[in-house]
Amino acid sequence: MPNEQVFSVRGDAELIMRAGHLFESAQTEFLCAARDLRTWSQPEARAAIGNRMRAADSPDFTTRKLLSPVALADEEARTHLRLVQSKGALVRISGSPLPHETILIDRRVMILAGRETPTGREYTVTTSQILVDGVHSLFQALWDSAVGLDTYLRSDVPHLDADGRMILEALASGLTDASAAKRLGFSLRTYRRRVAELMATLEADSRFQAGLRAGELGIPR
């Protein structure tokens, strides 16, 4: 783009409509730093963006994804990342706090994702070279200190199945054991046993600590 631009859009559809051509124009590099895998609220939006990355199949094209451990909280996410990696992307896990999502294309375009709102997630798009270069440098610093996906998965890192996430959500919501067990379809005894197992998995000394982990895993309180 000949002139520097900054604009904001709201929601996946508007982002694709106004900035889809920027993904199509990618030639050498696609970098993504994200807290988790839920930035695109609709799977169709993620697929649409992927389909526009025409150069991604080129052997000279580099895709790097930098994620926080929250992105590995469930097996579905792990499977997705393994698939992404098998297609040639480089994936690393960072222990440093990461934003909802930052995308850099060819060191000339940057897309920042904001928080989810009732009217959709807001995205800010800029071609300001000063901003792009600055964030690119930060990305590289975090990338250099991050751990490869395979190495991270080989370490003893706890992750939660669907029941575990539901129990963690119940703990974070403040439900009584009886109410939570009823909601999840467990007996009270089974629910309490699963809570104890969950606390052990998360290495939490109390239910309060387990509840704090809900925030770390992106589960609403």
mmCIF file of all heavy atoms in Angstrom, residues 69-70 72-73 75 78 93 147 149 151-160 201-203 213 217:
data_model
loop_
_atom_site.group_PDB
_atom_site.id
_atom_site.type_symbol
_atom_site.label_atom_id
_atom_site.label_comp_id
_atom_site.label_asym_id
_atom_site.label_seq_id
_atom_site.Cartn_x
_atom_site.Cartn_y
_atom_site.Cartn_z
ATOM 1 N N PRO A 69 0.446 -20.935 26.893
ATOM 2 C CA PRO A 69 0.017 -22.279 27.300
ATOM 3 C C PRO A 69 -1.492 -22.450 27.332
ATOM 4 O O PRO A 69 -1.991 -23.572 27.222
ATOM 5 C CB PRO A 69 0.621 -22.423 28.705
ATOM 6 C CG PRO A 69 1.823 -21.533 28.675
ATOM 7 C CD PRO A 69 1.398 -20.339 27.850
ATOM 8 N N VAL A 70 -2.231 -21.349 27.465
ATOM 9 C CA VAL A 70 -3.692 -21.426 27.470
ATOM 10 C C VAL A 70 -4.212 -22.085 26.202
ATOM 11 O O VAL A 70 -5.231 -22.774 26.205
ATOM 12 C CB VAL A 70 -4.302 -20.008 27.626
ATOM 13 C CG1 VAL A 70 -5.814 -20.040 27.475
ATOM 14 C CG2 VAL A 70 -3.927 -19.419 28.979
ATOM 15 N N LEU A 72 -3.242 -24.589 24.809
ATOM 16 C CA LEU A 72 -3.119 -26.045 24.859
ATOM 17 C C LEU A 72 -3.989 -26.647 25.941
ATOM 18 O O LEU A 72 -3.751 -27.770 26.389
ATOM 19 C CB LEU A 72 -1.654 -26.430 25.113
ATOM 20 C CG LEU A 72 -0.635 -25.850 24.129
ATOM 21 C CD1 LEU A 72 0.769 -26.240 24.537
ATOM 22 C CD2 LEU A 72 -0.932 -26.305 22.717
ATOM 23 N N ALA A 73 -5.015 -25.913 26.348
ATOM 24 C CA ALA A 73 -5.825 -26.356 27.482
ATOM 25 C C ALA A 73 -6.681 -27.569 27.176
ATOM 26 O O ALA A 73 -7.106 -28.272 28.088
ATOM 27 C CB ALA A 73 -6.726 -25.207 27.958
ATOM 28 N N GLU A 75 -7.547 -31.013 24.277
ATOM 29 C CA GLU A 75 -6.935 -31.878 23.272
ATOM 30 C C GLU A 75 -7.267 -31.431 21.851
ATOM 31 O O GLU A 75 -6.462 -31.610 20.932
ATOM 32 C CB GLU A 75 -7.377 -33.315 23.488
ATOM 33 C CG GLU A 75 -6.572 -34.332 22.696
ATOM 34 C CD GLU A 75 -5.088 -34.253 23.006
ATOM 35 O OE1 GLU A 75 -4.727 -34.075 24.182
ATOM 36 O OE2 GLU A 75 -4.292 -34.362 22.057
ATOM 37 N N ARG A 78 -4.728 -28.927 20.850
ATOM 38 C CA ARG A 78 -3.436 -29.565 20.618
ATOM 39 C C ARG A 78 -3.418 -30.273 19.262
ATOM 40 O O ARG A 78 -2.438 -30.206 18.516
ATOM 41 C CB ARG A 78 -3.143 -30.565 21.739
ATOM 42 C CG ARG A 78 -2.895 -29.896 23.080
ATOM 43 C CD ARG A 78 -2.880 -30.905 24.214
ATOM 44 N NE ARG A 78 -2.573 -30.242 25.466
ATOM 45 C CZ ARG A 78 -1.560 -30.566 26.259
ATOM 46 N NH1 ARG A 78 -0.771 -31.574 25.944
ATOM 47 N NH2 ARG A 78 -1.337 -29.898 27.374
ATOM 48 N N ILE A 93 5.576 -22.004 22.055
ATOM 49 C CA ILE A 93 4.764 -21.653 23.206
ATOM 50 C C ILE A 93 5.568 -20.724 24.102
ATOM 51 O O ILE A 93 6.702 -21.028 24.480
ATOM 52 C CB ILE A 93 4.344 -22.908 24.004
ATOM 53 C CG1 ILE A 93 3.707 -23.940 23.066
ATOM 54 C CG2 ILE A 93 3.396 -22.528 25.126
ATOM 55 C CD1 ILE A 93 2.481 -23.446 22.322
ATOM 56 N N VAL A 147 9.352 -21.852 23.572
ATOM 57 C CA VAL A 147 9.698 -23.273 23.447
ATOM 58 C C VAL A 147 8.913 -23.878 22.282
ATOM 59 O O VAL A 147 7.734 -23.573 22.087
ATOM 60 C CB VAL A 147 9.354 -24.024 24.750
ATOM 61 C CG1 VAL A 147 9.672 -25.508 24.624
ATOM 62 C CG2 VAL A 147 10.130 -23.416 25.917
ATOM 63 N N LEU A 149 6.684 -26.358 20.052
ATOM 64 C CA LEU A 149 5.467 -27.078 20.432
ATOM 65 C C LEU A 149 5.764 -28.498 20.891
ATOM 66 O O LEU A 149 5.284 -28.936 21.939
ATOM 67 C CB LEU A 149 4.488 -27.103 19.251
ATOM 68 C CG LEU A 149 3.203 -27.911 19.466
ATOM 69 C CD1 LEU A 149 2.352 -27.298 20.578
ATOM 70 C CD2 LEU A 149 2.400 -27.998 18.173
ATOM 71 N N THR A 151 8.490 -29.859 22.047
ATOM 72 C CA THR A 151 9.216 -29.857 23.322
ATOM 73 C C THR A 151 8.277 -29.551 24.472
ATOM 74 O O THR A 151 8.339 -30.190 25.529
ATOM 75 C CB THR A 151 10.348 -28.812 23.286
ATOM 76 O OG1 THR A 151 11.252 -29.138 22.230
ATOM 77 C CG2 THR A 151 11.098 -28.774 24.606
ATOM 78 N N TYR A 152 7.403 -28.585 24.254
ATOM 79 C CA TYR A 152 6.464 -28.205 25.311
ATOM 80 C C TYR A 152 5.504 -29.345 25.629
ATOM 81 O O TYR A 152 5.232 -29.647 26.791
ATOM 82 C CB TYR A 152 5.681 -26.964 24.890
ATOM 83 C CG TYR A 152 4.900 -26.335 26.022
ATOM 84 C CD1 TYR A 152 5.473 -25.348 26.818
ATOM 85 C CD2 TYR A 152 3.595 -26.732 26.296
ATOM 86 C CE1 TYR A 152 4.761 -24.776 27.859
ATOM 87 C CE2 TYR A 152 2.889 -26.167 27.334
ATOM 88 C CZ TYR A 152 3.469 -25.190 28.104
ATOM 89 O OH TYR A 152 2.764 -24.635 29.142
ATOM 90 N N LEU A 153 4.996 -30.007 24.594
ATOM 91 C CA LEU A 153 4.044 -31.083 24.813
ATOM 92 C C LEU A 153 4.682 -32.297 25.471
ATOM 93 O O LEU A 153 4.002 -33.071 26.149
ATOM 94 C CB LEU A 153 3.400 -31.496 23.480
ATOM 95 C CG LEU A 153 2.464 -30.476 22.844
ATOM 96 C CD1 LEU A 153 1.949 -30.983 21.507
ATOM 97 C CD2 LEU A 153 1.302 -30.146 23.766
ATOM 98 N N ARG A 154 5.982 -32.467 25.268
ATOM 99 C CA ARG A 154 6.668 -33.584 25.912
ATOM 100 C C ARG A 154 6.880 -33.345 27.402
ATOM 101 O O ARG A 154 7.109 -34.287 28.162
ATOM 102 C CB ARG A 154 8.023 -33.836 25.246
ATOM 103 C CG ARG A 154 7.937 -34.578 23.913
ATOM 104 C CD ARG A 154 9.295 -35.114 23.497
ATOM 105 N NE ARG A 154 10.255 -34.040 23.277
ATOM 106 C CZ ARG A 154 10.462 -33.467 22.087
ATOM 107 N NH1 ARG A 154 9.779 -33.861 21.027
ATOM 108 N NH2 ARG A 154 11.358 -32.506 21.951
ATOM 109 N N SER A 155 6.835 -32.085 27.818
ATOM 110 C CA SER A 155 6.999 -31.780 29.236
ATOM 111 C C SER A 155 5.712 -32.125 29.977
ATOM 112 O O SER A 155 4.656 -32.353 29.388
ATOM 113 C CB SER A 155 7.354 -30.303 29.426
ATOM 114 O OG SER A 155 6.299 -29.473 28.983
ATOM 115 N N ASP A 156 5.795 -32.150 31.271
ATOM 116 C CA ASP A 156 4.642 -32.546 32.087
ATOM 117 C C ASP A 156 3.721 -31.357 32.302
ATOM 118 O O ASP A 156 3.691 -30.752 33.377
ATOM 119 C CB ASP A 156 5.127 -33.092 33.438
ATOM 120 C CG ASP A 156 3.985 -33.677 34.266
ATOM 121 O OD1 ASP A 156 2.924 -33.969 33.681
ATOM 122 O OD2 ASP A 156 4.155 -33.827 35.484
ATOM 123 N N VAL A 157 2.964 -31.019 31.279
ATOM 124 C CA VAL A 157 2.072 -29.868 31.345
ATOM 125 C C VAL A 157 0.630 -30.341 31.430
ATOM 126 O O VAL A 157 0.167 -31.086 30.564
ATOM 127 C CB VAL A 157 2.235 -28.978 30.090
ATOM 128 C CG1 VAL A 157 1.294 -27.797 30.146
ATOM 129 C CG2 VAL A 157 3.672 -28.512 29.982
ATOM 130 N N PRO A 158 -0.106 -29.946 32.470
ATOM 131 C CA PRO A 158 -1.485 -30.408 32.602
ATOM 132 C C PRO A 158 -2.395 -29.819 31.524
ATOM 133 O O PRO A 158 -2.216 -28.680 31.118
ATOM 134 C CB PRO A 158 -1.907 -29.895 33.988
ATOM 135 C CG PRO A 158 -1.046 -28.714 34.227
ATOM 136 C CD PRO A 158 0.271 -29.052 33.572
ATOM 137 N N HIS A 159 -3.336 -30.607 31.050
ATOM 138 C CA HIS A 159 -4.361 -30.079 30.172
ATOM 139 C C HIS A 159 -5.684 -30.729 30.558
ATOM 140 O O HIS A 159 -5.729 -31.756 31.225
ATOM 141 C CB HIS A 159 -4.026 -30.308 28.698
ATOM 142 C CG HIS A 159 -4.043 -31.738 28.281
ATOM 143 N ND1 HIS A 159 -3.038 -32.625 28.596
ATOM 144 C CD2 HIS A 159 -4.959 -32.439 27.563
ATOM 145 C CE1 HIS A 159 -3.325 -33.813 28.088
ATOM 146 N NE2 HIS A 159 -4.478 -33.730 27.450
ATOM 147 N N LEU A 160 -6.767 -30.109 30.142
ATOM 148 C CA LEU A 160 -8.090 -30.500 30.610
ATOM 149 C C LEU A 160 -8.933 -31.085 29.490
ATOM 150 O O LEU A 160 -8.930 -30.573 28.374
ATOM 151 C CB LEU A 160 -8.819 -29.283 31.199
ATOM 152 C CG LEU A 160 -8.080 -28.494 32.282
ATOM 153 C CD1 LEU A 160 -8.948 -27.337 32.749
ATOM 154 C CD2 LEU A 160 -7.695 -29.378 33.445
ATOM 155 N N THR A 201 -4.408 -32.144 39.262
ATOM 156 C CA THR A 201 -3.888 -31.930 37.908
ATOM 157 C C THR A 201 -3.332 -30.520 37.756
ATOM 158 O O THR A 201 -2.282 -30.310 37.140
ATOM 159 C CB THR A 201 -4.997 -32.163 36.866
ATOM 160 O OG1 THR A 201 -5.433 -33.518 36.944
ATOM 161 C CG2 THR A 201 -4.500 -31.864 35.457
ATOM 162 N N LEU A 202 -4.048 -29.544 38.337
ATOM 163 C CA LEU A 202 -3.640 -28.143 38.217
ATOM 164 C C LEU A 202 -2.631 -27.738 39.278
ATOM 165 O O LEU A 202 -2.192 -26.587 39.310
ATOM 166 C CB LEU A 202 -4.874 -27.237 38.328
ATOM 167 C CG LEU A 202 -5.932 -27.402 37.241
ATOM 168 C CD1 LEU A 202 -7.122 -26.507 37.528
ATOM 169 C CD2 LEU A 202 -5.352 -27.100 35.876
ATOM 170 N N GLU A 203 -2.283 -28.682 40.136
ATOM 171 C CA GLU A 203 -1.364 -28.406 41.242
ATOM 172 C C GLU A 203 -1.856 -27.236 42.087
ATOM 173 O O GLU A 203 -1.099 -26.354 42.493
ATOM 174 C CB GLU A 203 0.046 -28.129 40.715
ATOM 175 C CG GLU A 203 0.650 -29.297 39.964
ATOM 176 C CD GLU A 203 2.054 -29.020 39.446
ATOM 177 O OE1 GLU A 203 2.462 -27.849 39.468
ATOM 178 O OE2 GLU A 203 2.715 -29.992 39.033
ATOM 179 N N ARG A 213 -7.181 -20.429 38.205
ATOM 180 C CA ARG A 213 -6.704 -21.038 36.971
ATOM 181 C C ARG A 213 -7.733 -20.908 35.855
ATOM 182 O O ARG A 213 -7.396 -20.941 34.672
ATOM 183 C CB ARG A 213 -6.395 -22.516 37.205
ATOM 184 C CG ARG A 213 -5.144 -22.762 37.985
ATOM 185 C CD ARG A 213 -3.929 -22.497 37.150
ATOM 186 N NE ARG A 213 -3.641 -23.607 36.243
ATOM 187 C CZ ARG A 213 -3.031 -23.494 35.093
ATOM 188 N NH1 ARG A 213 -2.635 -22.306 34.691
ATOM 189 N NH2 ARG A 213 -2.808 -24.541 34.338
ATOM 190 N N LEU A 217 -7.010 -19.992 31.892
ATOM 191 C CA LEU A 217 -7.404 -20.831 30.768
ATOM 192 C C LEU A 217 -8.504 -20.226 29.923
ATOM 193 O O LEU A 217 -9.050 -20.836 29.033
ATOM 194 C CB LEU A 217 -7.871 -22.205 31.293
ATOM 195 C CG LEU A 217 -6.780 -23.020 31.991
ATOM 196 C CD1 LEU A 217 -7.374 -24.269 32.608
ATOM 197 C CD2 LEU A 217 -5.685 -23.389 31.018
#
